[in-house]
Amino acid sequence: MTGQQAENRLYNRDEMVRIVAENTMDTIVLVDNEAIVRYVSPSFETLCGYGVSEYEGADAFELIVEEDRERVREMLGKVVETSQPVDVEYRIYHANGSLVYVETRVKPVMDHEGIKYVVAVVRDVTRRKQAEQLLENILENVNATVWSTDKDFTRYHYFAGNIEKVCGIPKEEVIERPIRLHDHMHPEDNDSLMGEVKDLLDKGVSVRKEFRWIHLPDELLWGQLLIHPYLNANGNVERLDGIMLDITEKKRAELALEESEQRYKSLFEHNLDGVFSIELNRLHFVNANEAFERATGIELAKLTDRCFMGLIHDEDHMYVYRALQEVMQQEVPTDIECRLANLSQGERIVSITFVPIFLSGRLNGIHGILKDITQRKQEERDLVKREERSKLLRMSLNRLSSGLANVMKVSELEERLIAEVSGVLPATRVEIEEGECRDASAEAEGARTFRIRIGDKPQPVYLCIDIAEPLKKADEEWLDTAVHYVKILYDNLHRTEDLMKRLEDLVGTKETPKWMLRLLFRLSEKERAALSSDLHDSVLQDLIIWYRKLEAFRSVGKFEREAQAELQQIENGLLDAIHQLRITCNELRPPFLLKMGLVESLKSLFAYARMFANYEIEFRAGTTDIPLHEDQILGVYRIVQELLNNASKHSQASRVVMTLEDAGGELRFHYADNGVGVDLVKLEGSYEHMGIAGIEKRVMSLEGTVAVQSAPDQGFHVTVTFPKQTMER
């Protein structure tokens, strides 16, 4: 071989090494004896986000998480000491601040003087670690362990799950000596596992086995093993894969069921409800208890060879017979309501539950549980008559409570109340009057006048209502609740409206004093907080109480299916109202805003917004170790709310990015979206329809600055800057 050929071969080899190093997904790092990085392959940037030039020449341990550094140093020392490669797992910092789990093979490079370099081949195993953690979490929640051992059960190849939850034995004890589990099993079950079960596993047959734990005094626990032998290419058992479950609750339930069956006879004889059984062919009575005799008036001695259908009113025969056929064909219980006939006590309405009787797995007869519901049915009829009225009143309260959240003036509040009362109550006159109400008796003879004080202006303000007929209890409760809603808002709105009117003259100038803006925003937040608290502590609690009362009433007894469905619908309506009211309270005053801090509160806001937004939200918060006072926290939070609202209504963006950072002596917030943008020149500085004017005023009140940048199809950008601690707390 000529010198040129040798040189070309060497060049080709070096070129191939370079190509492999620069294109492999694993990252190759060359470290010298002083732990300085001398070479790193290009995939390093994909691994952790840093450039190659940033890491070459740096300390190799710089990117390793502090908790892992000492362990990695020890492993590197082991490489130097033994001149043998080792594998090690640890975590490194990514450029974006996240952690990356890596698996590294460290191998020494020798020369005539000893170890010259150390080559590390680094692989990203973050996804695997996340999958392993997910499996651990799943096993934690289902009280199970997954394992894999050699065929003789002497050591584990893999073990995941909380063994202490499954059987109460420390995990370290099980890992060290797998066979130790057998010491805690019931001797009879252990003999079975070591005998016939082991024989099956040795033959390559999968096994499912229940057993008992006995290591806890005075407590019997049950477990279940599912073991699958893994066969190699020669058909021999190479390892055992299995899962161990805690089935204690299941076994206890089975034992409880057995006990309940033993008690059945006693329950049949002493049950307060009428219990009977009939045979399938002719539907004749087989037996019945004394409660059945009291409910029907038929002596037990006269039930012999008597057909059950003779007890039922003629008009209900088809309905009852169809229910019996359903039990026979589908072999499931069913409930019916029907009338009894030919009884000396007169017509009786009863509820009957038919239950199939099985013997050796086959339908053998039918049990019946009979309850006299005559009185309850009469009450249900009365309830149905009031149902539509009650539904109207509930919808009205929901509508009123929802509408009050948007009322900002006393006049609007009065109009809203008059409209609601006029639409719901049979009133001949509904008016709001200051001072004494006028006497309406001369205009409507026999009319009943309600005079309810709702506030002061500063004279007493009354809601005056003339009604020709006395109100029912439900109507009176509705009126009390509606007035209660209004009273909560009336005086506060009046005072706020009066104050705002006096302040508007001052705010009308172009140079609005910052202290005035700050005062207005503080008043606004105070009113929001007060309204949120009042709605939460009164209206919301009342709705929850009524919901629970309705739920309890519905569960007391059985109703007709139509009535049951309507009651369920009413419950759902109340739940919807409760949910909407909670959302309103949270929007008026975000809970735990000051306690959680600005960053965590914004994260919570974004998490909620993502459920309804049609765009992606990205939020970055740098190290913001800034002491913020309440006005700044509330100000930034409200600004973000307004920007999100603008993004939903106007931007048509698919992505919104927001950042919050400490910029020296300032707190800087930046908003950017990739939406349609706006022509700022055409707007001539007017952002009223986009809500930016409100943002500018709020920023001005906090002595900050705001910059808006946008152009058609260039997205929308807002930068807000606040000085640190510019105002007293």
Side-chain angles (χ1 to χ4, degrees):
M1 180 183 297
T2 65
Q4 183 63 40
Q5 288 175 330
E7 183 179 350
N8 290 340
R9 181 177 180 182
L10 179 61
Y11 173 80
N12 291 337
R13 182 179 179 84
D14 292 341
E15 178 66 13
M16 285 187 289
V17 171
R18 182 187 65 80
I19 291 174
V20 171
E22 292 184 357
N23 291 278
T24 181
M25 293 301 294
D26 293 339
T27 299
I28 301 175
V29 183
L30 184 66
V31 181
D32 64 16
N33 289 330
E34 297 180 359
I36 301 301
V37 178
R38 295 306 177 188
Y39 170 80
V40 62
S41 62
S43 59
F44 176 78
E45 185 170 356
T46 302
L47 176 69
C48 61
Y50 292 101
V52 171
S53 60
E54 296 180 78
Y55 197 47
E56 289 183 344
D59 185 350
F61 294 92
E62 183 176 302
L63 291 182
I64 300 177
V65 175
E66 291 182 3
E67 292 86 344
D68 298 342
R69 287 180 186 174
E70 190 59 31
R71 177 169 52 84
V72 179
R73 287 185 189 276
E74 291 177 0
M75 298 302 293
L76 184 59
K78 184 177 179 181
V79 172
V80 174
E81 179 181 350
T82 63
S83 299
Q84 296 295 321
V86 297
D87 295 327
V88 59
E89 291 185 359
Y90 54 92
R91 298 165 294 170
I92 63 175
Y93 295 110
H94 194 277
N96 62 14
S98 64
L99 295 180
V100 180
Y101 289 82
V102 298
E103 180 183 77
T104 302
R105 164 149 292 200
V106 183
K107 184 175 182 180
V109 178
M110 312 292 292
D111 63 6
H112 64 280
E113 296 179 357
I115 296 178
K116 184 177 182 181
Y117 296 105
V118 172
V119 176
V121 180
V122 186
R123 175 170 295 175
D124 187 347
V125 295
T126 303
R127 288 177 177 260
R128 190 191 77 192
K129 285 293 185 181
Q130 291 172 344
E132 291 175 355
Q133 185 59 49
L134 177 61
L135 176 60
E136 287 284 350
N137 293 340
I138 293 173
L139 295 175
E140 287 272 351
N141 292 330
V142 299
N143 283 359
T145 59
V146 174
W147 47 264
S148 180
T149 73
D150 59 281
K151 65 184 182 65
D152 296 320
F153 210 77
T154 59
R155 66 185 182 88
Y156 285 109
H157 303 303
Y158 178 79
F159 192 97
N162 192 333
I163 188 67
E164 293 192 35
K165 279 190 176 181
V166 176
C167 62
I169 304 173
K171 185 175 183 178
E172 296 75 12
E173 180 180 344
V174 177
I175 294 294
E176 183 177 351
R177 295 180 57 203
I179 202 69
R180 187 80 172 86
L181 283 174
H182 292 273
D183 297 338
H184 299 284
M185 294 180 180
H186 193 283
E188 296 177 1
D189 299 334
N190 186 50
D191 291 343
S192 175
L193 287 170
M194 300 299 288
E196 58 182 301
V197 172
K198 187 177 185 305
D199 292 340
L200 290 173
L201 294 175
D202 290 341
K203 296 176 182 177
V205 179
S206 298
V207 173
R208 181 189 296 264
K209 176 68 175 178
E210 294 181 356
F211 61 92
R212 291 161 289 178
W213 299 104
I214 60 172
H215 60 286
L216 295 180
D218 303 324
E219 185 174 7
L220 182 63
L221 304 178
W222 287 82
Q224 185 179 60
L225 280 170
L226 289 80
I227 309 175
H228 175 72
Y230 177 82
L231 307 180
N232 59 21
N234 298 324
N236 298 322
V237 177
E238 182 174 307
R239 69 172 189 268
L240 300 176
D241 300 328
I243 182 171
M244 182 159 54
L245 305 172
D246 177 14
I247 61 169
T248 302
E249 293 302 322
K250 172 189 172 186
K251 297 299 293 186
R252 288 174 178 171
E254 291 175 354
L255 294 174
L257 178 60
E258 182 179 349
E259 182 180 352
S260 67
E261 290 175 348
Q262 296 297 326
R263 296 178 180 177
Y264 168 74
K265 184 176 180 180
S266 176
L267 291 175
F268 179 87
E269 295 176 353
H270 302 291
N271 202 311
L272 297 179
D273 295 326
V275 181
F276 61 92
S277 59
I278 56 178
E279 50 89 17
L280 298 178
N281 294 330
R282 297 179 299 168
L283 300 180
H284 281 200
F285 284 100
V286 176
N287 59 10
N289 64 358
E290 294 182 358
F292 179 84
E293 180 179 358
R294 292 192 297 270
T296 62
I298 302 174
E299 298 179 12
L300 297 180
K302 297 181 180 180
L303 284 178
T304 305
D305 293 331
R306 180 166 181 169
C307 180
F308 167 75
M309 297 302 296
L311 185 67
I312 306 302
H313 193 283
D314 291 343
E315 295 179 1
D316 295 342
H317 269 208
M318 182 178 296
Y319 175 58
V320 175
Y321 186 76
R322 188 182 299 120
L324 289 169
Q325 289 297 313
E326 180 180 341
V327 175
M328 296 178 191
Q329 294 172 5
Q330 301 183 14
E331 299 183 350
V332 294
T334 188
D335 298 323
I336 64 166
E337 292 178 358
C338 60
R339 294 166 292 176
L340 301 182
N342 302 323
L343 296 176
S344 58
Q345 303 100 316
E347 182 183 79
R348 291 289 185 90
I349 303 175
V350 295
S351 169
I352 304 177
T353 299
F354 293 120
V355 181
I357 304 173
F358 295 98
L359 182 63
S360 300
R362 298 183 61 183
L363 185 66
N364 181 257
I366 296 177
H367 275 314
I369 303 175
L370 181 145
K371 296 182 180 180
D372 188 339
I373 59 171
T374 305
Q375 181 177 355
R376 195 193 77 195
K377 294 301 292 183
Q378 183 60 46
E379 293 173 353
E380 285 182 13
R381 294 189 184 104
D382 296 338
L383 178 63
V384 171
K385 293 178 181 178
R386 299 192 299 269
E387 181 180 337
E388 289 300 323
R389 183 61 181 169
S390 298
K391 183 177 180 180
L392 173 66
L393 297 179
R394 283 190 296 274
M395 292 176 60
S396 172
L397 284 178
N398 291 339
R399 184 171 60 248
L400 179 62
S401 61
S402 176
L404 292 182
N406 300 318
V407 170
M408 300 302 295
K409 295 182 180 180
V410 172
S411 58
E412 294 177 359
L413 181 62
E414 293 177 346
E415 291 173 1
R416 187 75 181 81
L417 179 60
I418 291 175
E420 201 67 39
V421 173
S422 300
V424 173
L425 299 182
T428 59
R429 181 178 72 95
V430 181
E431 294 179 356
I432 301 293
E433 295 187 0
E434 297 183 33
E436 297 297 329
C437 280
R438 58 191 177 86
D439 187 4
S441 59
E443 299 180 9
E445 185 176 354
R448 184 179 181 187
T449 299
F450 285 85
R451 179 174 174 272
I452 306 172
R453 185 168 180 170
I454 60 173
D456 296 282
K457 213 182 197 181
Q459 293 184 348
V461 179
Y462 294 91
L463 170 66
C464 297
I465 310 172
D466 289 346
I467 299 177
E469 299 178 359
L471 291 180
K472 297 180 180 179
K473 184 177 180 180
D475 293 336
E476 291 181 351
E477 291 176 350
W478 175 89
L479 182 59
D480 290 342
T481 305
V483 170
H484 180 65
Y485 290 176
V486 173
K487 284 182 178 179
I488 294 174
L489 294 175
Y490 196 91
D491 289 340
N492 287 333
L493 280 178
H494 177 66
R495 293 189 180 95
T496 302
E497 187 175 308
D498 183 61
L499 177 60
M500 292 297 293
K501 185 176 181 181
R502 284 184 286 169
L503 291 177
E504 280 178 357
D505 296 335
L506 297 175
V507 177
T509 62
K510 293 184 178 180
E511 298 182 359
T512 306
K514 296 178 181 178
W515 66 266
M516 186 178 298
L517 288 173
R518 190 157 57 250
L519 174 62
L520 292 176
F521 284 119
R522 284 180 177 176
L523 289 173
S524 175
E525 293 295 340
K526 185 176 181 180
E527 290 302 318
R528 286 170 175 261
L531 178 57
S532 175
S533 177
D534 288 339
L535 291 175
H536 181 276
D537 296 339
S538 57
V539 180
L540 181 59
Q541 302 308 316
D542 289 344
L543 286 175
I544 292 174
I545 291 173
W546 283 112
Y547 168 76
R548 289 175 177 169
K549 286 183 177 180
L550 179 59
E551 183 182 40
F553 174 71
R554 189 172 64 84
S555 63
V556 168
K558 296 188 178 297
F559 296 87
E560 289 183 350
R561 294 181 181 177
E562 293 80 2
Q564 185 76 9
E566 289 294 335
L567 289 173
Q568 183 66 51
Q569 186 176 1
I570 294 170
E571 281 189 24
N572 293 338
L574 282 174
L575 282 176
D576 290 342
I578 291 170
H579 176 69
Q580 185 60 44
L581 194 54
R582 280 178 172 156
I583 292 176
T584 300
C585 291
N586 290 343
E587 290 179 349
L588 288 171
R589 182 67 167 183
F592 310 116
L593 176 60
L594 301 180
K595 184 176 181 180
M596 292 172 58
L598 180 59
V599 174
E600 293 303 320
S601 297
L602 289 179
K603 289 180 180 179
S604 177
L605 174 62
F606 297 146
Y608 177 77
R610 287 187 183 102
M611 294 189 293
F612 305 97
N614 55 1
Y615 50 83
E616 177 185 352
I617 300 175
E618 180 179 341
F619 175 57
R620 307 190 194 104
T623 303
T624 55
D625 187 14
I626 305 174
L628 302 176
H629 52 69
E630 182 176 347
D631 287 343
Q632 287 177 319
I633 293 175
L634 282 170
V636 175
Y637 191 88
R638 295 301 185 194
I639 288 171
V640 173
Q641 281 184 313
E642 185 60 42
L643 288 172
L644 289 176
N645 183 53
N646 182 61
S648 299
K649 291 183 178 180
H650 306 293
S651 72
Q652 302 179 25
S654 63
R655 187 166 181 263
V656 171
V657 178
M658 284 172 275
T659 59
L660 183 68
E661 59 184 351
D662 183 354
E666 300 175 326
L667 173 67
R668 183 174 299 159
F669 171 78
H670 181 70
Y671 166 92
D673 65 44
N674 61 352
V676 297
V678 295
D679 189 342
L680 298 180
V681 176
K682 292 183 178 180
L683 289 178
E684 298 181 351
S686 175
Y687 309 117
E688 291 294 338
H689 72 292
M690 300 170 61
I692 303 302
I695 293 178
E696 287 183 328
K697 291 180 180 179
R698 189 178 285 274
V699 173
M700 184 184 301
S701 73
L702 298 174
E703 301 187 7
T705 59
V706 59
V708 180
Q709 294 180 340
S710 184
D713 299 322
Q714 297 297 316
F716 195 75
H717 303 262
V718 179
T719 301
V720 179
T721 305
F722 299 106
K724 295 182 182 178
Q725 290 289 0
T726 58
M727 295 171 289
E728 74 282 359
R729 290 184 180 273

